[in-house]
Amino acid sequence: DPLGLVAPFMLAMKLVMQRLTKNVDPVQWDDQVIEEIAIDAKKCFDNLRLLKNIRIPRCYVNPSMGKIISRTLHVFSDGSDCAYGSSGYLRQEDDSGNVISRLVMAKGRVHPASSKLSIPRSELAGMTVAAEMADVIKRELKHPVDDTFYYTDSETGLKYINNESRRFQVFVANRCDRIRQLSDVKKWYHVSGVSNPADTITRPQQLADGSTFEDFHAWFCGPDWLLSSPCDWPSSFTAESVGNEDPEVVKSKNIFSTKIGETEPEKSFKEFCVKAGSLRQLIRRAAWLRRFPWIRRPDIDYSTPLAVQELERAELAIVRRIQAIEFKDEIEAYKKQHVFTKKSRLYKLAPYIDEN
């Protein structure tokens, strides 16, 4: 069933398989199934056998219809405590005003066994499936679609995708970004649960001996208002802002810090160090600076390349300067023969000051 036309009738079997394979003690292929699961599995098999009584029209138009002047795609989404999914309907209208709506594709998924989704997250996951599925349908249909409309019965989901001021948890943020990427947020509308055919795909459906296509007309053809004029369709939804109390909102945190002011020479030296790409480059720059005219020394030939002794003296000058900045208090305490405080990074060491 690659198009998902009978997905609602397969959901019960998916849930049984999840119970068998994803429990704490998964059942192996040759293990005896416990009686409770065996009974549920038999009901699923009996239910699937009754699918042969349902005849699904595969043509998207009636032979009696005239020239098609309008094609619109209507995608519904829903989420429950065990599954989420979406169903898409192609609505076509001819030049005589005749309208027909047919299920084009559906997709349903069960919640992860390791962590069940909350209802808002399940609804949002269904909306993500709807956006992705609509993208596939529009690419695969041979005839172009004039417009696409999206529907959900979740006001919370609509608030999330319309949010522009709050930061969400990763799960919600990623799906909102995906929905905005694939669909126009202004094309999302709110419908009641009764008018949402995708509700069928999130709850296991049972067939009776005499079940026919007409018994599941809303699933295979969409809600009745799809056959009406667009003025009778759901109106635009004005989403309220998401409050700070919403569990999916990342709570703001106040972080206080104290910045100890630096003297201008210290700041300039640190900038000088940071701009160097490597220690070798830093040493060479320092060595050249020591040759500047305002510190000209008669014993240095400024036209020759840097000598090894110059590089060594430059490295020593850099180390000395860094120590003077980073261990200023310790050096003063050492000169005054005071004991280092326990907060000092040198407290457990035995530092000394040599001739350099």
Side-chain angles (χ1 to χ4, degrees):
D1 185 29
L3 297 180
L5 303 183
V6 294
F9 313 104
M10 301 290 293
L11 177 58
M13 179 57 73
K14 289 182 178 181
L15 294 174
V16 169
M17 289 297 297
Q18 189 179 71
R19 290 163 60 191
L20 285 171
T21 59
K22 302 298 183 179
N23 284 339
V24 178
D25 297 319
V27 179
Q28 303 300 323
W29 69 272
D30 56 348
D31 290 343
Q32 183 71 31
V33 179
I34 62 175
E35 183 177 0
E36 179 184 359
I37 297 181
I39 294 174
D40 292 340
K42 184 178 184 305
K43 291 180 180 178
C44 293
F45 290 136
D46 294 339
N47 190 56
L48 292 177
R49 293 189 182 97
L50 296 175
L51 281 174
K52 63 182 180 181
N53 299 327
I54 297 181
R55 296 291 182 265
I56 305 172
R58 295 299 296 119
C59 186
Y60 296 149
V61 295
N62 288 330
S64 60
M65 294 184 68
K67 181 182 178 180
I68 301 299
I69 60 172
S70 172
R71 287 188 181 90
T72 53
L73 182 63
H74 300 260
V75 188
F76 297 81
S77 69
D78 191 42
S80 67
D81 58 354
C82 64
Y84 58 90
S86 173
S87 56
Y89 301 86
L90 183 64
R91 180 189 185 274
Q92 301 183 94
E93 184 176 355
D94 66 6
D95 50 6
S96 298
N98 298 311
V99 180
I100 187 173
S101 174
R102 286 285 186 268
L103 176 65
V104 179
M105 185 179 180
K107 186 182 291 290
R109 296 173 181 169
V110 297
H111 286 189
S114 57
S115 58
K116 293 293 184 180
L117 302 179
S118 63
I119 295 299
R121 286 194 173 193
S122 183
E123 296 276 8
L124 189 64
M127 294 169 67
T128 308
V129 172
E132 294 174 341
M133 190 180 71
D135 183 62
V136 172
I137 293 174
K138 288 185 287 185
R139 283 190 282 107
E140 297 299 328
L141 282 178
K142 293 182 179 180
H143 299 285
V145 175
D146 299 326
D147 207 349
T148 305
F149 302 90
Y150 304 87
Y151 306 92
T152 177
D153 56 17
S154 172
E155 294 186 7
T156 302
L158 292 174
K159 291 179 183 178
Y160 287 166
I161 65 173
N162 280 279
N163 169 73
E164 295 181 351
S165 59
R166 305 291 185 188
R167 288 181 58 236
F168 290 130
Q169 304 290 346
V170 175
F171 182 96
V172 173
N174 288 344
R175 280 150 186 81
C176 287
D177 289 341
R178 183 63 173 164
I179 293 170
R180 295 191 195 101
Q181 178 185 1
L182 296 175
S183 65
D184 184 357
V185 176
K186 296 180 180 178
K187 295 293 184 179
W188 280 89
Y189 300 90
H190 181 264
V191 294
S192 64
V194 178
S195 300
N196 188 1
D199 181 80
T200 307
I201 204 173
T202 61
R203 292 167 178 79
Q205 300 298 310
Q206 297 296 320
L207 294 166
D209 290 337
S211 295
T212 63
F213 174 84
E214 290 301 324
D215 294 329
F216 297 93
H217 185 271
W219 168 249
F220 291 111
C221 299
D224 294 336
W225 50 261
L226 276 182
L227 304 180
S228 304
S229 171
C231 62
D232 296 327
W233 299 352
S235 57
S236 59
F237 176 78
T238 303
E240 299 178 0
S241 60
V242 182
N244 282 328
E245 68 281 357
D246 193 293
E248 298 297 346
V249 173
V250 176
K251 303 298 186 294
S252 59
K253 298 179 179 178
N254 295 324
I255 301 176
F256 300 93
S257 62
T258 302
K259 181 179 180 180
I260 301 176
E262 298 175 336
T263 63
E264 193 62 32
E266 291 178 354
K267 183 178 180 182
S268 300
F269 177 74
K270 287 186 177 180
E271 291 178 355
F272 172 72
C273 293
V274 170
K275 290 180 180 179
S278 64
L279 177 60
R280 180 175 180 273
Q281 187 181 56
L282 176 62
I283 295 173
R284 292 185 63 83
R285 288 183 178 181
W288 281 112
L289 282 175
R290 291 171 63 85
R291 281 192 174 187
F292 271 25
W294 54 80
I295 54 172
R296 177 178 292 275
R297 292 165 53 187
D299 58 329
I300 296 178
D301 183 0
Y302 291 89
S303 62
T304 60
L306 292 171
V308 175
Q309 293 81 0
E310 289 182 282
L311 294 174
E312 291 178 348
R313 286 195 292 267
E315 182 178 6
L316 187 61
I318 292 172
V319 173
R320 187 187 300 115
R321 185 59 181 162
I322 292 175
Q323 289 180 344
I325 295 175
E326 295 297 323
F327 302 108
K328 180 179 179 180
D329 295 337
E330 285 82 353
I331 292 175
E332 291 181 0
Y334 184 88
K335 290 179 178 179
K336 295 178 181 180
Q337 298 183 350
H338 291 171
V339 179
F340 295 162
T341 64
K342 291 185 178 181
K343 294 182 180 180
S344 172
R345 288 172 289 175
L346 305 179
Y347 176 74
K348 295 183 178 180
L349 304 177
Y352 63 91
I353 297 179
D354 58 15
E355 66 277 6
N356 294 317

